[in-house]
Amino acid sequence: MVQLYNLHPFGSQRVVPCKQEPAHFCCGREVLFVASAATSCRVEVFAVGDQGRCDPLGSFATLGPVLRMAHSQAGDYLATIEEKSKATFLRAYMNWRCMSAGSSRVCVRMVGHKMEESYSETLKEQMSIVEMPLSDPPLCISCCPVNGDLLVGCKNKLVMFCLKYLVINENLTVLDFERSLILHVDNLVPAEVAFCARHIAITTELDVLILKLEPVQQSADGTEQCAHRVSALEKPVDGGKNGEGPSTHNSQLELDEFIICQKPVELLGEESKLCEIPITLESTELPTEDTKRFQVRYLLFRRFTPEQSPFGFCEETKLHSVQLLPVYQTGSSVTAYEETENKKELLSLFCFFSLPHVGYLYSVGKLVELISTYQYSEKSEQAVLTPQFLHVITSENLQCFTVRCSAAAARDEDPYIDTTVKACPPVALDVCTLRMQLFIGPRAICHFKNHIILLTKADTEDITERRKPTRRMLSRKADSIKSRVNSESEPGWNLYIINTVSTIQLYREMVDYSRTYENIKTESCIHLLSEAHLLVRAAIMDPSCLKSDEKEELLRAFRESCAFLGDCYSRCDTKDYHLALPYYRMSGLSMTEVLKRLVSEGDEIQTYEKGFIFYLTHSLNEDLNEELSKESANKVLQIFYFADPVQLPYILCSPCMRNVCPLTAVKYLQKVEKTMPSVVLTLTKAFMALKMGDLTMYEHEMDSYKETILACGFIGQPKLLIQREEGIVIPTEFAVHLKEMQPGLLVAAAVALHENSKIELEEADTFFKMLCSNSEHTVPQLLVDFWEALLVVCSQEEIIQELLLRVTSQYVWRISKQQLPETKPLKTTEDLVNSCNHFGLIFPWVTSIMSVGSPSDNDYYEDISKLQSLLCSQSINIASILPVLEPLAEAGNVGLTIHVLCNTRLGKYEEAIDQLLRRCPDVAVLYAQHELKDDNWAVWWNKLLPELCKRTRLAGNDCPVLISSLKETLSVVAMELELRDFLSLLPEDGTAAFFLPHLLHCSQRKLLT
C-alpha cells in the first residue's frame, strides 16, 4: 500500500542553458554532462552550484551521436557509446576538465597503450580520449561508484574494464583501463546493466538477473578450487540440438494468432541458480601474482509477464531504470575529489528496477530480499533511486516516493537495532508518495546530491501511434539502441535542474504535518514520523562531506524525531508499544523530561497507555544515574498504583525514586497488600519504615516471615540491598541496618542473590567491603562469613576452588599476622564440618600435635582449626595453595600440622615422617596408623622402622618416646611381614632381648595361620 501526502520535497528549479537539444545527460562531481542530439555531436559541460545555478564550463566534440553515457565518480571520467557510420564505439573521456580551462588539445589513444614519459607529460594539460574496441557492438554501460571499473553490455556477453592508475612519475598519474574479464551469457541481450562492487544487475525486456563476482579460493598448490564455468543446468538453456538457439526455435512459432508468454518467476539467493542462464567467465588480463580469479554467485532472477488489460496484453511492458545503490559505513572517510575512493567500505547494496506501473526495490547485500513495491498512479517513463527518495517520471508528473534503504542499512550496521537499546522503523513499513509534481512531458531524469535533472518535451505528437505495436513474440530481444528524441520533429524541450529541499526543511514539514493526527492517536502519525526519522537517518548515513554544523543539526533532528516517536508509542494503543523505550533512549531525554511531555500537572488521574508504562518500568528497573524530584517520584508512584500496582514494590527500590515520600509509599503498599500480598512487598514496606525511622513498624514487617523466606524474598528485588552506580555496587540503607542487627540474614540473602545470578562474586566482595567500610585490600569478617556460607551451597567447581583459595588466604593471613576478626564469625569450625563437605573432620594426629602447642595458638583457635579442617578434606587443590601457606613455615606446631597435611595430600609420606620424627616424634606412630594403609603399608618397614632404629640408636635410653614408638612399629610390621623378611629388617647390632619378643610374635602368627 502506498500512502499519499502532499508535502514539498522539491524546491527551486532552473533551466539549463543548453545550446542544442539534449539527447542524453548525466551528473557527477558537481557537473552536468549534456550530449546534444544527432546533428551536433557534442557534449556540453555545466558546473552545478548549491542552489541549482548552472554555469557552462565548455564543451567537446564526440565521434558521433551519443547513444549512452555514464560518469564515474572514481577517476572522474565520462564513458560513452557513440555511433558513426552505423557502427558503435566505446570511448572514455579523461581529464576533460582541461577543456573548461581553455585548452583545446586532445589526445586519442587505444586502451592499454603504453605511453612514453616524454609524451605523457603533455597529458597534464589536455583531454584524453581512450578508445576501447570490442568484438561486438556495445549496447549499454555502467560505472562502478566504488572503484570506477566499467561494465559494458553486448549481445550474449558482458565485458569488464578495470580502472588503472598508472604512475608515470612522482608528478604525474594517468588513468587507463584494462579489459580484465568477459562474462559470456548465453542467449541474453542486455537492455540495461548496473555495476557496483562486483555486483552486476542485467535487465532484458522482461527479465532481471543479479550476479556477484566472488574471488576463487585457491588450494595450497595454487590450483583453483572452483571452475570458471558457472552453469545452473548441464543442458543448453533452450534444450535445442545442433547449436540451435532459442531465437531459431522461437521464430517457427511467430504467428500473428498467438502471443507466447512464459510464467512469471522469482528466484532469490541460492535458488536463483535454477534460472537456466549459464555463464562462462573468460579472464583477459595479463596474469600476475596479484591476479584474481572469479566465480559467479547468482543472487536474484526475476521474470515478468506482460501487463494485461481488458483489450489483451500490453506490448509496451518493458523493464527500465535498473540501478544498484551502495550505502557505505557511516565512519567511511570520503573526499569529494579524492582519486582513491575505493577506500569507502560498503555496508549495504540495493537494486531497483521498474515496470511501467510498478517498481521493485531489493536488498542484495548480506541478504537478498524484496524490501518495497511501488505502485504508480500512471505509466512510468523512468525512475532514479537515491538513499532518501525514489523519483519517478510519468507522462505528466514527477513523483517522489520514500525508500527503506536507510532502515535496512541501519540494521546491517548496528546489531543493537530492534532491541530495548535502539530502534528503527521497520523495513516493511509501507512506502508513501510525498509529492506528485505536475510537469508537461517529462522524458528523462537523473540525480546528483540534492539536484534532479529533468528533460521535458512539450510536443503534441501521438506517442502511442508512433509506437504502435506489432503482434510478435514477447520474448523478443532488442537488437539496437535508438534515441528517445528526435530534435527536428519534436521542438519545445526544456532541461531543468530541480533542487530538493534540505533534509531539515522537509523533516520539519513532515513533523508539522504529523500534528494533524496527534489528537486522534492514529497509526498515520507514527507512519509519518517514521518517514521523517528515516529521512534524517539516511542523511546522517550519507558519507559525502557534511559540514560539522550541518551534521550537528541533523543529529539534533534525529534525537528530536526519536522523542516524537517515543511520544507516539507512549500515547497510542498500538501492538508495538514497546518501541517507546528504545526511541526515548535514543532521544537522549531524561526521565524527568519525558514525564513533563506526557504527564499533566495537578492531581487529576490520567489514562496511560502500555507504551508509557513499559518505558517507565524498564527505566526505573535500570541503574540510571538520575534522581526524580519528590513531586515527580510521587507522581510516578500514583501512575503505577492505578496502571500496574504489582510493580510498586519494584519501582520503589529504584535509585531514581530515592526522593519519594516514604509515608505515601507505605499507604499505597498497604492498599496493594490487601489484594496481592508478597514477601517482596513486605520487605519494601520494611525498607520504607527504615526511611521514616519507624523501627516498630520495621520489626513488625520483618517478623511476618521466617528468615529463610525473607532471604529468598531479596531474590525478587535485589535493589532492596544492592544498587549500582556506574557499574559499581552500592549497599542500601536496608543492607547497612541488617549488617548491624541481622548479619546472618544479610549473608544468607547475599548467598541467595549469588546463587540466582543476581550478583557476581567480585561484586559481592565490593559490596561487603563498602558495607564494612574496609579498604580494598582488607577483608572484613562478614565477607569471610559470606564465602563460608557460599561454600555450603555452591555447586560450580571453578567458584568452589576460588572460594577455598580465598578463605585459606584469609585464615593464613590472620594466623601469621596474629590478627583477630573484627566481628564474631557466624559459623564455628564444627558448624562448617557439619554443614559443608569442603570442611573435613580434623585428624587425631593433628589434634595430638596441637595439644602440646603454644598457649597463644588458642587465641586464633577458630582460624587454625578451619584451616586444618580444609586441609583434612579432599576438596582443596593442595598444589595451588602451597604459595599461600608459605607464611606458616615457621609457625610452630601450627606450621608443622600444615606442612605434614600438605605432604600427606601430595603423597609425600616419607617427608611427612621425617618432619614428625624431627619435631614431634611421639605423633609419628599415630600418624602412620591413620595414614599408612592399603597401598602405603610398605612405608612402615621401608621408612618408619629404619628411621626409628637409627634415631633410637643415636639417642640411647635418653628418649623413651622413640623406644615406645619403635616397639609399636615393630608390632605392626611383625603382623604384616613374613618371618624371613621381618628378620632381614632388624639391625645387626641390635639387642636381642629387645627384638626377640617381636620375632616370636611373628613366628607364632605364621604357625597360627
Side-chain angles (χ1 to χ4, degrees), residues 337-618:
Y337 297 100
E338 188 180 2
E339 293 293 351
T340 57
E341 289 201 16
N342 53 357
K343 292 181 180 179
K344 293 185 289 188
E345 186 176 350
L346 188 68
L347 172 65
S348 304
L349 189 63
F350 303 93
C351 182
F352 175 81
F353 48 85
S354 183
L355 289 168
H357 291 96
V358 60
Y360 301 91
L361 178 61
Y362 281 85
S363 170
V364 293
K366 297 176 182 177
L367 184 67
V368 181
E369 61 179 341
L370 178 64
I371 292 180
S372 304
T373 301
Y374 296 87
Q375 299 288 341
Y376 311 138
S377 58
E378 50 187 311
K379 180 185 173 184
S380 63
E381 298 289 335
Q382 194 179 349
V384 61
L385 177 69
T386 76
Q388 290 180 307
F389 307 108
L390 173 68
H391 301 292
V392 181
I393 55 172
T394 66
S395 59
E396 295 181 349
N397 286 293
L398 169 60
Q399 301 182 6
C400 178
F401 296 87
T402 56
V403 296
R404 300 289 167 260
C405 298
S406 60
R411 287 168 171 82
D412 289 338
E413 183 177 44
D414 193 340
Y416 291 100
I417 295 289
D418 299 324
T419 65
T420 57
V421 179
K422 295 180 182 178
C424 180
V427 176
L429 182 71
D430 289 339
V431 295
C432 69
T433 308
L434 295 181
R435 185 76 177 176
M436 297 178 67
Q437 185 71 42
L438 181 64
F439 275 92
I440 299 175
R443 293 300 175 83
I445 186 174
C446 74
H447 172 271
F448 177 73
K449 288 190 175 180
N450 64 325
H451 308 298
I452 298 169
I453 292 82
L454 180 66
L455 174 65
T456 64
K457 295 196 69 172
D459 64 291
T460 57
E461 182 179 351
D462 186 356
I463 303 298
T464 306
E465 182 65 23
R466 180 157 55 95
R467 298 178 181 175
K468 185 175 180 180
T470 60
R471 288 190 175 273
R472 52 195 174 96
M473 287 198 57
L474 296 180
S475 59
R476 62 199 180 284
K477 308 293 181 186
D479 53 7
S480 64
I481 304 297
K482 297 183 179 180
S483 176
R484 296 177 62 120
V485 295
N486 187 316
S487 59
E488 296 181 0
S489 60
E490 298 179 1
W493 55 268
N494 274 308
L495 188 63
Y496 296 102
I497 288 190
I498 304 166
N499 294 319
T500 55
V501 300
S502 70
T503 299
I504 295 298
Q505 181 179 337
L506 184 56
Y507 163 76
R508 296 291 176 205
E509 185 182 8
M510 296 171 86
V511 170
D512 292 341
Y513 198 119
S514 70
R515 293 196 173 107
T516 59
Y517 303 104
E518 194 172 22
N519 294 328
I520 53 178
K521 298 181 181 179
T522 64
E523 290 287 336
S524 295
C525 182
I526 294 178
H527 185 276
L528 195 50
L529 286 173
S530 297
E531 294 287 7
H533 175 88
L534 289 175
L535 183 74
V536 175
R537 186 184 281 272
I540 293 173
M541 296 182 76
D542 186 354
S544 59
C545 282
L546 289 171
K547 297 177 183 177
S548 57
D549 54 344
E550 288 179 310
K551 191 154 192 176
E552 185 55 40
E553 188 176 14
L554 283 172
L555 290 173
R556 282 197 299 270
F558 178 81
R559 291 190 291 268
E560 183 186 67
S561 71
C562 292
F564 287 142
L565 282 168
D567 293 345
C568 280
Y569 285 110
S570 295
R571 290 180 176 136
C572 297
D573 183 14
T574 170
K575 62 181 178 65
D576 295 322
Y577 65 88
H578 61 278
L579 293 175
L581 175 63
Y583 277 121
Y584 275 139
R585 280 179 169 168
M586 293 161 66
S587 72
L589 293 176
S590 66
M591 202 183 318
T592 302
E593 291 169 325
V594 172
L595 287 169
K596 288 180 180 178
R597 295 169 74 97
L598 299 176
V599 179
S600 60
E601 297 181 1
D603 296 329
E604 69 273 10
I605 299 173
Q606 290 179 247
T607 301
Y608 299 101
E609 297 295 343
K610 291 186 289 185
F612 180 50
I613 301 302
F614 184 83
Y615 162 75
L616 281 181
T617 302
H618 277 262

Side-chain angles (χ1 to χ4, degrees), residues 2-17:
V2 180
Q3 301 194 39
L4 175 62
Y5 299 108
N6 190 25
L7 299 174
H8 301 84
F10 306 125
S12 62
Q13 66 184 47
R14 294 174 180 264
V15 176
V16 180

Side-chain angles (χ1 to χ4, degrees), residues 68-256:
R68 297 286 179 98
M69 64 191 305
H71 176 265
S72 173
Q73 287 270 95
D76 193 23
Y77 68 86
L78 181 71
T80 63
I81 297 177
E82 302 171 16
E83 183 180 34
K84 184 175 183 180
S85 302
K86 297 185 179 180
T88 53
F89 300 87
L90 178 64
R91 304 179 109 199
Y93 294 83
M94 311 283 195
N95 207 22
W96 52 266
R97 292 181 185 268
C98 291
M99 302 298 292
S100 62
S103 173
S104 59
R105 300 179 64 178
V106 177
C107 165
V108 182
R109 55 188 168 93
M110 296 293 289
V111 64
H113 173 70
K114 184 176 181 180
M115 291 164 286
E116 298 296 334
E117 185 170 347
S118 58
Y119 169 73
S120 302
E121 285 293 336
T122 60
L123 293 176
K124 286 184 180 180
E125 302 174 357
Q126 66 184 14
M127 182 174 74
S128 295
I129 302 174
V130 180
E131 299 271 6
M132 288 173 272
L134 296 167
S135 58
D136 294 289
L139 303 177
C140 46
I141 54 175
S142 178
C143 301
C144 175
V146 177
N147 53 33
D149 292 348
L150 177 65
L151 184 71
V152 184
C154 305
K155 183 178 181 181
N156 296 335
K157 71 171 66 171
L158 302 173
V159 184
M160 187 171 80
F161 291 88
C162 287
L163 181 64
K164 301 288 185 180
Y165 294 85
L166 304 179
V167 179
I168 305 300
N169 53 51
E170 61 181 9
N171 298 319
L172 179 62
T173 299
V174 177
L175 298 183
D176 197 8
F177 290 95
E178 180 182 8
R179 184 170 62 178
S180 59
L181 191 65
I182 299 176
L183 290 82
H184 296 277
V185 189
D186 293 351
N187 306 314
L188 187 79
V189 180
E192 291 182 314
V193 292
F195 188 36
C196 180
R198 296 179 184 162
H199 292 74
I200 299 172
I202 315 164
T203 61
T204 62
E205 290 187 355
L206 293 172
D207 292 351
V208 182
L209 178 62
I210 303 178
L211 312 166
K212 182 181 181 183
L213 296 174
E214 295 183 331
V216 174
Q217 299 295 328
Q218 295 195 347
S219 58
D221 60 358
T223 59
E224 295 177 10
Q225 296 179 352
C226 300
H228 277 297
R229 177 75 180 180
V230 182
S231 176
L233 300 176
E234 295 181 2
K235 299 179 181 179
V237 176
D238 60 309
K241 299 179 181 178
N242 301 324
E244 190 174 298
S247 57
T248 307
H249 178 67
N250 291 337
S251 62
Q252 300 172 6
L253 300 176
E254 276 192 357
L255 303 175
D256 290 341

